[in-house]
Amino acid sequence: SLKSSEKYIQSKIKKNDLSALQINELECLRGLAVVTFEEYCNYWNETPTFISGRKKWCDNNIVFQHVERTFRHPFTLSNGKIITLTGKIDGELIDPISKKYRILENKTKQRVEEVDIETLLKNDTQTTMYLLANKLSFNAMPDGVIYNVIRRTSMKPRKNELAEDYVSRIGTDIRSRPDFYFMRWKVDITENDLNRFIDKSLDPMMCQLVEWWESIKDNPFDP
C-alpha cells in the first residue's frame, strides 16, 4: 500500500504544478489511507472472524478463493425474457467451519447506522445478486455473507499540521478503539431467503426494467 500510494502521489505532483500546501494535503490523504489499511490488517490478523470451539480463524488463515471476480450469467425472468446478470464480487472465501462459500462485501462509511444487519442484507439487491451469482457459478448455495465495514475517520488536518503529525494522530486513534473503525457481521442466508428475494424483488424489478427498455429502445432519446 505504501509503494502504490507513493507512486500515485508522485504522478499527481509531476502532472500538476502543486504548491507545498497542496503537496502536504495529498500526503495527508495518502497517509490516511495507508495507516487505515495497515491497522485494518493488524486488527483482523489478530481478531477472529470464525470461531468453533477452541478453533479460531483470523484473516491470515482464511482461504480466499476469489477476489474481485467478475461474473456474467444468463437469467430467465418470469415473463420469459432472458437477461444477463453481470458484476464484480469483492471476495469469495471458504467458510472454515461449513467448508462452503461465503461472499465478502466491503464497505467504507463515515457513519455506521444502527440497523438490523441481517434483515438489511437479506433484502439488499447487491448482496443477494452476488449470492445468486456465486450459486450459479459453482452450482451450490453459499452460506451467506461477511459484511465488512471500515469507518472513515472524521479527523481533519489541523491548520499548518504536517502530514506525518496528522497521520500519527489518526493511527493513535484507530489503535485506541479499533472496534470502532473495523466491524464485521457474519450473516447466514438460506436458499429460501434467496428465492424469496428473487420472487418478491429481483424478478419484478427486472421485469419492469426490461418492459421499460423495450418500450423506448427504438428511440431512447425521444421516448
Side-chain angles (χ1 to χ4, degrees):
S1 61
L2 189 59
K3 288 182 179 180
S4 58
S5 62
E6 179 63 28
K7 184 178 179 181
Y8 173 79
I9 292 294
Q10 291 304 320
S11 68
K12 283 288 187 181
I13 294 175
K14 287 180 180 179
K15 290 179 181 178
N16 303 279
D17 185 19
L18 301 181
S19 66
L21 179 60
Q22 289 172 318
I23 292 174
N24 191 65
E25 289 175 350
L26 269 178
E27 289 290 353
C28 285
L29 182 61
R30 177 178 77 97
L32 185 157
V34 170
V35 73
T36 303
F37 176 72
E38 289 175 345
E39 294 303 330
Y40 167 89
C41 292
N42 291 336
Y43 181 73
W44 287 114
N45 279 338
E46 298 173 355
T47 306
T49 299
F50 297 94
I51 300 176
S52 178
R54 295 183 178 180
K55 292 185 177 180
K56 299 179 180 180
W57 289 267
C58 300
D59 274 11
N60 56 358
N61 50 26
I62 292 175
V63 179
F64 282 83
Q65 299 294 305
H66 308 281
V67 177
E68 295 190 340
R69 180 179 71 88
T70 57
F71 62 85
R72 289 181 63 86
H73 290 292
F75 187 76
T76 303
L77 300 173
S78 60
N79 62 7
K81 302 292 184 179
I82 299 176
I83 63 171
T84 301
L85 300 178
T86 183
K88 181 185 291 185
I89 303 173
D90 285 348
E92 293 160 294
L93 56 104
I94 296 297
D95 185 316
I97 300 171
S98 69
K99 308 301 181 185
K100 294 171 64 177
Y101 271 106
R102 278 192 185 270
I103 300 301
L104 177 70
E105 179 65 18
N106 297 314
K107 297 292 183 186
T108 58
K109 300 172 181 281
Q110 192 164 60
R111 181 177 178 181
V112 181
E113 301 84 2
E114 293 294 330
V115 296
D116 182 349
I117 295 293
E118 182 172 346
T119 300
L120 171 70
L121 294 180
K122 286 182 179 180
N123 294 280
D124 179 71
T125 302
Q126 184 180 32
T127 300
T128 48
M129 181 93 71
Y130 290 170
L131 290 168
L132 174 58
N134 181 272
K135 177 187 174 185
L136 294 173
S137 295
F138 305 112
N139 299 312
M141 179 66 195
D143 269 350
V145 62
I146 293 177
Y147 191 60
N148 184 56
V149 176
I150 300 172
R151 191 193 298 265
R152 298 192 304 274
T153 183
S154 59
M155 296 169 64
K156 305 295 183 185
R158 295 167 179 160
K159 186 177 181 180
N160 300 325
E161 184 176 30
L162 295 177
E164 60 187 47
D165 296 326
Y166 172 60
V167 173
S168 177
R169 282 200 298 118
I170 294 173
T172 298
D173 191 53
I174 293 175
R175 287 187 292 274
S176 71
R177 47 176 185 165
D179 53 354
F180 174 79
Y181 282 94
F182 311 126
M183 290 151 282
R184 282 183 182 174
W185 290 267
K186 184 162 64 74
V187 177
D188 295 337
I189 299 179
T190 67
E191 193 160 13
N192 284 339
D193 293 328
L194 180 59
N195 289 336
R196 186 181 306 111
F197 175 81
I198 292 171
D199 293 341
K200 299 291 186 181
S201 298
L202 182 62
D203 181 77
M205 177 174 61
M206 296 312 298
C207 283
Q208 286 186 341
L209 186 61
V210 169
E211 290 173 2
W212 166 79
W213 172 247
E214 289 187 341
S215 73
I216 69 165
K217 66 180 181 180
D218 290 338
N219 192 352
F221 295 103
D222 186 19

